C-alpha cells in the first residue's frame, strides 16, 4: 500500500509541475493579447480610410482595372489559409482549417481548381500530411505579424492574380483568404473572404454623370491612382486579417491554458484524496496487524500457562 501512496505522490508532483507551465503560458498569452488587440485597433483607421479612398476612385471613375475586373469564366482560385505556428491553442487552428476545407470544396463544386497558400506551421503541416501541394508558405510570425510580411504575401497573391494563365502555372482568377476574426475574448469566428477580384467593402451609390467631376478630381489620373492604391489596399486587408488572427490565437491559447490549469487543479485534488485514502487504509491495516499480533501473542502466553 505504501508503494501506491508513493506512486500517487509522484503523480501529484508531476501534475503540479504541469500546472505551473500551463499557468505561465496562460499569463503570457493574457499579457500579449492586449498588445495584439491594440495593434488591430490601431490598424483599423488606416484600413478604413484606404477603403474609402479606393471606394471613391472605383465608384466615381469609369476605369477598368485588372484587380477589379471580374473574369468571364474563372477556372482557378488561390486560397490563403491563416493558422498558428504553435499548438496549445485549443481548436483555433482546426476550426480555421475546417472553414478552409469547406471553401475549397465549394470552389471545386463550382468547377475551379485550387492553389493553396498557407500562413502558419499548423496549416502547412496539415496539408503536407495529406499530400496536398502548397504553392507557398509563410511561417514564424503568427502571434506577432508585421506589415512587411503582409506586403510580401499581398505581392505574391497579386502577382498570381495578374499572371498569364497560358504561361504561368500558378496564375489564378480569384484570391480568397481564410482567417479567424476576433470578436471578443470569448468568441473567435473562422471567416472566409474573397480578396480578388476586388470587392470594395465601403462603397456609396454613384452620383449622376454630370455630378461626378465637380465632386471628385483625381491626380494624376484615376488609372494611376488605382495602380497605387489597390496593392496597398490588398496588403492592408491581409495585414488586418493577420492581426485579427494573432489576437484570436492568443485568446484561444489563454482559454485553453486556463482550462488546462483548472483540470490540473482537479487532478491534484483527486490524486490527493486517493493518496490520503490509500495512506489511511495502510495505517488501518498496520494497526489491524499489530492488534492481531498482540492478541495472538496473548493467546499463546495464556495457553502456555
Amino acid at each position: 500500500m505504501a508503494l501506491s501512496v508513493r506512486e500517487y505522490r509522484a503523480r501529484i508532483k508531476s501534475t503540479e509541475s504541469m500546472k505551473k507551465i500551463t499557468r505561465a503560458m496562460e499569463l503570457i498569452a493574457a499579457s500579449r493579447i492586449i498588445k495584439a488587440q491594440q495593434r488591430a485597433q490601431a490598424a483599423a483607421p488606416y484600413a478604413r480610410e484606404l477603403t474609402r479612398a479606393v471606394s471613391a476612385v472605383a465608384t466615381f471613375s469609369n476605369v477598368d482595372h485588372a484587380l477589379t475586373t471580374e473574369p468571364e469564366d474563372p477556372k482557378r482560385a488561390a486560397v490563403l489559409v491563416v493558422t498558428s505556428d504553435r499548438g496549445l491553442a485549443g481548436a483555433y487552428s482546426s476550426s480555421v482549417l475546417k472553414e478552409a476545407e469547406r471553401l475549397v470544396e465549394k470552389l471545386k463544386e463550382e468547377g475551379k481548381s485550387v492553389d493553396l497558400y498557407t500562413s502558419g506551421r499548423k496549416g502547412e503541416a496539415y496539408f503536407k500530411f495529406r499530400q496536398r501541394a502548397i504553392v507557398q508558405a509563410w511561417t514564424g510570425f503568427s502571434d506577432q505579424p508585421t506589415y512587411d510580411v503582409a506586403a510580401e504575401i499581398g505581392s505574391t497573391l497579386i502577382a498570381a492574380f495578374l499572371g498569364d494563365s497560358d504561361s504561368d502555372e500558378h496564375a489564378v482568377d480569384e484570391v480568397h483568404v481564410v482567417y479567424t476574426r476576433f470578436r471578443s475574448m470569448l468568441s473567435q469566428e473562422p471567416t472566409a473572404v474573397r480578396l480578388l477580384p476586388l470587392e470594395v467593402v465601403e462603397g456609396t451609390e454613384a452620383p449622376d454623370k454630370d455630378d461626378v467631376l465637380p465632386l471628385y478630381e483625381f491626380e494624376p489620373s484615376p488609372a494611376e491612382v488605382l495602380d497605387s492604391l489597390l496593392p496597398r489596399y490588398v496588403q492592408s486587408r491581409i495585414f488586418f486579417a493577420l492581426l485579427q488572427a494573432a489576437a484570436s490565437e492568443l485568446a484561444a491559447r489563454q482559454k485553453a491554458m486556463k482550462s488546462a490549469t483548472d483540470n490540473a487543479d482537479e487532478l491534484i485534488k483527486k490524486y490527493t484524496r486517493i493518496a490520503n485514502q490509500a495512506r489511511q487504509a495502510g495505517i488501518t491495516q498496520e494497526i489491524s496487524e499489530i492488534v492481531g499480533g498482540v492478541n495472538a501473542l496473548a493467546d499463546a502466553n495464556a495457553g502456555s500457562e
Side-chain angles (χ1 to χ4, degrees):
M1 192 63 67
L3 178 63
S4 178
V5 172
R6 287 198 301 268
E7 194 173 82
Y8 281 115
R9 284 176 178 171
R11 291 186 180 183
I12 291 170
K13 188 175 180 179
S14 64
T15 306
E16 286 175 343
S17 299
M18 188 183 302
K19 176 186 170 183
K20 291 179 182 178
I21 296 172
T22 57
R23 178 60 177 165
M25 295 185 69
E26 177 189 349
L27 294 175
I28 291 172
S31 65
R32 289 182 176 176
I33 194 173
I34 302 300
K35 185 177 180 180
Q37 284 181 276
Q38 291 173 345
R39 293 185 69 196
Q41 291 170 356
Y46 174 79
R48 183 168 55 251
E49 293 304 320
L50 190 55
T51 299
R52 288 177 179 171
V54 172
S55 175
V57 182
T59 304
F60 303 131
S61 69
N62 296 321
V63 176
D64 290 329
H65 195 277
L67 295 182
T68 61
T69 303
E70 292 278 352
E72 294 182 1
D73 186 21
K75 294 295 186 184
R76 181 180 291 270
V79 176
L80 171 65
V81 185
V82 182
T83 60
S84 65
D85 285 317
R86 296 181 296 141
L88 301 178
Y92 168 75
S93 291
S94 61
S95 296
V96 76
L97 287 169
K98 287 179 182 177
E99 183 66 25
E101 290 286 19
R102 282 193 289 268
L103 175 61
V104 170
E105 189 66 28
K106 177 184 174 184
L107 292 172
K108 288 183 177 179
E109 288 175 358
E110 295 173 357
K112 302 168 187 173
S113 57
V114 177
D115 284 351
L116 291 170
Y117 296 78
T118 62
S119 172
R121 291 190 178 92
K122 289 296 180 180
E124 182 182 16
Y126 174 86
F127 291 114
K128 281 188 175 180
F129 179 77
R130 287 156 179 78
Q131 298 181 349
R132 294 164 67 176
I134 299 175
V135 178
Q136 192 164 346
W138 295 269
T139 59
F141 56 84
S142 67
D143 57 349
Q144 292 180 328
T146 63
Y147 190 83
D148 290 339
V149 173
E152 180 184 345
I153 296 174
S155 299
T156 301
L157 295 177
I158 290 173
F161 182 75
L162 297 177
D164 186 357
S165 57
D166 294 331
S167 57
D168 186 357
E169 62 176 338
H170 296 306
V172 297
D173 303 309
E174 295 178 359
V175 176
H176 299 260
V177 180
V178 184
Y179 69 100
T180 305
R181 186 187 298 274
F182 181 84
R183 296 293 188 186
S184 67
M185 288 294 297
L186 299 176
S187 175
Q188 300 86 43
E189 178 186 354
T191 305
V193 296
R194 197 186 79 169
L195 197 61
L196 295 172
L198 201 60
E199 294 178 331
V200 178
V201 177
E202 296 182 14
T204 53
E205 187 177 348
D208 295 334
K209 255 187 176 180
D210 298 336
D211 296 333
V212 172
L213 292 178
L215 287 175
Y216 290 93
E217 293 182 2
F218 301 106
E219 290 275 346
S221 69
E224 291 178 271
V225 171
L226 282 175
D227 285 339
S228 177
L229 285 182
L230 286 176
R232 294 175 184 269
Y233 175 76
V234 172
Q235 292 165 2
S236 71
R237 289 196 66 182
I238 291 176
F239 183 50
F240 190 68
L242 293 178
L243 291 176
Q244 289 273 310
S248 299
E249 176 187 345
L250 292 170
R253 180 166 291 117
Q254 181 190 7
K255 186 163 59 175
M257 291 300 98
K258 185 181 186 308
S259 177
T261 303
D262 293 342
N263 289 339
D265 278 332
E266 292 298 322
L267 274 177
I268 290 170
K269 290 178 183 178
K270 176 183 175 182
Y271 288 148
T272 301
R273 183 174 64 253
I274 295 175
N276 288 338
Q277 291 173 350
R279 182 173 59 84
Q280 291 169 1
I283 293 173
T284 302
Q285 182 177 353
E286 289 175 0
I287 292 174
S288 299
E289 290 173 353
I290 292 171
V291 171
V294 170
N295 290 335
L297 184 61
D299 292 341
N301 290 336
S304 62
E305 291 176 359

